[in-house]
Amino acid sequence: MGRKICIFGFLMVVLLGLLTQFLWNFIMPDIFGLPVINFWQGLAMFALAKLIFGFGGKGHGKWGWL
């Protein structure tokens, strides 16, 4: 069971990195003239976005933002 969860988690990280790379390369260079990124840059950008904007869990504290 634990091995399946690790494999699933690894595949999700790879998929989300590829999705970030694809969406960036599909939209940003044409609209804003930004450079094309590779997989590792897409993965780093996804991780940075998760750190900045959160992980989608319920809020903490009484008001949800503390």
Side-chain angles (χ1 to χ4, degrees), residues 21-40:
Q21 176 191 5
F22 172 76
L23 289 174
W24 176 278
N25 290 340
F26 184 72
I27 297 169
M28 296 302 191
D30 290 335
I31 295 175
F32 300 110
L34 296 171
V36 173
I37 63 171
N38 61 31
F39 169 74
W40 296 109

Side-chain angles (χ1 to χ4, degrees), residues 33-53:
L34 296 171
V36 173
I37 63 171
N38 61 31
F39 169 74
W40 296 109
Q41 291 168 324
L43 190 60
M45 205 177 322
F46 175 76
L48 182 62
K50 293 306 279 181
L51 287 172
I52 292 172
F53 299 114

